[in-house]
Amino acid sequence: MITVRRALAVGTLVAAAIGLAGCTAGAESEPEDSIDSSATAGVSASGTAPIVFAFVCAVGSSDRTETYTTYSAVWEDDRTDCTAQRITGTELSSQQRAAVQAAAGDATLEQLAAGCAVRRTGPWVGTVDSATEAHVAAGLLEYCPGHPETDHLQDAVAGWRS
């Protein structure tokens, strides 16, 4: 009995090894083994990708900062002093383009992104007292409609217009 079990076990291992060898026998070499760098000399990357930001926020009144990759993470930590830093991308998304146009030159894309990251500060809690502030508010409303304080900002803009 033991001999039959061993024979079955060895047969199973041999079959598995043959199956694995069959899978890799036709596999191509590693990409770096076949790259001819002279063939790609002078070639530049093409294509576009939407701009994505990381948010670098002050932690309290110290010199320490924390970096976030989503607005919601910044909102959860109640950060009020953040900058936006591009981490990837080359082209504005349609939402980003609309936000910059709504800001009418009174805020850059980076300023709007940083403004979307914070809460309980700036236009999210203040009043709109000038055309410049109204433009920035319009840009923020376009760029981050899901901000937790959107209702206040919409009311502030409506108050300024009336």
Side-chain angles (χ1 to χ4, degrees), residues 20-86:
L20 288 175
C23 289
T24 58
E28 294 185 25
S29 62
E30 291 296 315
E32 62 271 6
D33 294 341
S34 63
I35 293 178
D36 178 4
S37 60
S38 64
T40 58
V43 176
S44 61
S46 63
T48 61
I51 296 170
V52 177
F53 293 98
F55 308 100
V56 180
C57 304
V59 177
S61 59
S62 70
D63 289 338
R64 226 169 45 91
T65 61
E66 185 147 352
T67 302
Y68 300 86
T69 56
T70 65
Y71 293 127
S72 60
V74 180
W75 299 337
E76 188 175 303
D77 281 356
D78 279 332
R79 300 294 180 219
T80 58
D81 183 15
C82 300
T83 59
Q85 295 183 351
R86 289 183 189 206

Side-chain angles (χ1 to χ4, degrees), residues 71 75 94-104 107-109 111-118 123-128 131-161:
Y71 293 127
W75 299 337
S94 59
Q95 182 178 16
Q96 290 169 332
R97 194 173 6 272
V100 169
Q101 288 173 345
T108 65
L109 178 62
Q111 290 168 329
L112 292 171
C116 287
V118 298
W124 299 111
V125 295
T127 60
V128 173
T132 297
E133 291 175 358
H135 293 152
V136 172
L140 290 170
L141 291 169
E142 280 289 330
Y143 196 29
C144 43
H147 192 282
E149 295 160 337
T150 297
D151 291 343
H152 171 80
L153 190 54
Q154 288 171 330
D155 292 345
V157 170
W160 180 76
R161 288 183 180 151

Side-chain angles (χ1 to χ4, degrees), residues 6-26:
R6 281 191 187 153
L8 287 173
V10 170
T12 303
L13 288 175
V14 169
I18 291 171
L20 288 175
C23 289
T24 58

